[in-house]
Amino acid sequence: QFEWRGLSVADPSITAVTSFKALIDGMSDDEILIGQTSLMITPNSYNFKVIDHLVTNFHAPDSTLMLLVSAFLGKQNDVTTIYEEAQNRGYRFLSFGDACLFSRPGVKLPSERK
């Protein structure tokens, strides 16, 4: 089980990039930075700011990767319905399954932007 806790930020103007730069500032090119995070991207908890498209495979319905896909697509898209349709069309799941491309709601592919 996971324990979820809200965290307060002392200065909301500090970005992830600024934080990362502070970590690596002064490191030489041959030094290795090792660490971990407990970030769990779940629906209604994360706002995607950088990517508009997600290429992934079809994940098991009970995996944490489904939470990532659900968060990426937003609450207006039911991932369960999308996956059921994929199964009905014969797509395969898990590591050796079919890949899929998801786009953020309202975002067009570059080829569609003309």
Side-chain angles (χ1 to χ4, degrees):
Q1 287 289 2
F2 294 98
E3 178 183 335
W4 298 100
R5 295 180 289 168
L7 301 175
S8 61
V9 178
D11 184 354
S13 67
I14 298 174
T15 66
V17 173
T18 304
S19 300
F20 187 69
K21 284 181 180 178
L23 280 173
I24 62 172
D25 187 40
M27 290 179 63
S28 66
D29 290 343
D30 61 345
E31 286 184 275
I32 298 173
L33 177 65
I34 298 173
Q36 67 184 43
T37 181
S38 61
L39 174 66
M40 175 75 75
I41 296 175
T42 60
N44 303 319
S45 72
Y46 187 80
N47 181 22
F48 288 85
K49 300 174 187 131
V50 177
I51 63 167
D52 289 329
H53 310 286
L54 176 67
V55 177
T56 186
N57 63 331
F58 287 104
H59 306 292
D62 59 346
S63 75
T64 56
L65 293 170
M66 286 291 284
L67 294 173
L68 170 72
V69 173
S70 294
F72 181 74
L73 293 176
K75 58 185 167 189
Q76 65 269 30
N77 292 293
D78 180 16
V79 172
T80 305
T81 303
I82 293 169
Y83 273 54
E84 285 173 1
E85 181 63 23
Q87 282 182 316
N88 292 339
R89 292 177 181 232
Y91 287 95
R92 295 171 298 181
F93 288 72
L94 305 175
S95 298
F96 296 104
D98 292 301
C100 57
L101 169 68
F102 292 115
S103 296
R104 289 178 63 184
V107 175
K108 293 182 178 184
L109 293 171
S111 61
E112 299 174 324
R113 294 182 188 157
K114 297 177 182 177

